[in-house]
Amino acid sequence: MTVASNLPNRPLTLADVTRLAEADSSHRFELSEGNLVVMPPGPWRHQRSSMLMGAWLLNAYGDRVNAAPGVQTADDNLNGRIPDLVVTKAPVDDDTVWLDRAVVTLAVEIVSKGSERMDRWLKPIEYAEAGIPFFWRVEPDEGVVQFRLEDGRYVEYGKVPLEALLAGEVPVLS
């Protein structure tokens, strides 16, 4: 991979990751304390779940919904994650690459082989520390585990099959 050979000898920044993503569209890049995390595209089930949930959320939240946006998860420029879906508190400027964590109201992760620990353990901690009010995780069995931020930690408030979630009304996220 020629992109990796051109990495600087220092912790990476969100600007570095943006340049990497522009040069390599076949991977997703995240940043954890300046360390690069590289992920391949999700499998078919992952992408299908993302599209179905995205379309469902679009009905209620319109241009506040986006698939795989960058979210700056700390005050520095050394930490950024890419949730599978987000809903923001207000519309976002079209040129935004890394969302300020304060504008994100819901982050959704779809667990696939290779992302289990990251999606179940690490990302929820980072999203909670970032103050993102809601976090949903779609498990491989297509169960959607829903969490709400309370006292700086996520508390589970529901688990529903994806099909049942999508058949219902989109909840108010506030």
Side-chain angles (χ1 to χ4, degrees):
M1 175 181 211
T2 58
V3 172
S5 65
N6 295 327
L7 294 177
N9 277 339
R10 60 169 167 70
L12 297 178
T13 67
L14 294 175
D16 295 326
V17 173
T18 300
R19 283 190 293 280
L20 284 171
E22 289 169 351
D24 181 351
S25 61
S26 64
H27 292 89
R28 289 179 30 186
F29 300 98
E30 295 181 338
L31 203 55
S32 179
E33 303 205 8
N35 298 298
L36 186 64
V37 179
V38 181
M39 299 156 298
W44 186 264
R45 179 198 64 82
H46 182 112
Q47 302 300 341
R48 183 188 69 240
S49 295
S50 179
M51 287 182 60
L52 289 170
M53 283 189 82
W56 179 72
L57 289 165
L58 277 167
N59 284 324
Y61 295 105
D63 63 357
R64 294 171 44 199
V65 178
N66 206 332
V71 176
Q72 185 174 354
T73 54
D75 288 333
D76 58 36
N77 66 351
L78 303 176
N79 292 279
R81 294 294 184 179
I82 300 179
D84 293 303
L85 289 166
V86 299
V87 175
T88 60
K89 296 174 182 175
V92 175
D93 182 278
D94 286 343
D95 294 327
T96 300
V97 175
W98 292 97
L99 292 168
D100 183 308
R101 62 192 184 184
V103 304
V104 178
T105 195
L106 168 67
V108 178
E109 292 292 347
I110 300 168
V111 179
S112 295
K113 188 163 180 60
S115 73
E116 296 97 332
R117 286 180 181 228
M118 189 87 64
D119 292 344
R120 291 186 184 127
W121 298 62
L122 299 175
K123 287 185 177 185
I125 291 170
E126 286 185 45
Y127 295 156
E129 288 177 352
I132 297 172
F134 294 93
F135 170 68
W136 293 355
R137 187 180 66 232
V138 182
E139 291 291 341
D141 68 359
E142 303 226 328
V144 180
V145 186
Q146 300 168 307
F147 299 89
R148 175 184 306 112
L149 190 63
E150 292 182 14
D151 298 321
R153 298 178 58 184
Y154 284 125
V155 175
E156 183 177 332
Y157 68 91
K159 182 172 182 180
V160 61
L162 178 60
E163 186 175 309
L165 180 75
L166 300 177
E169 294 293 318
V170 178
V172 174
L173 297 170
S174 57

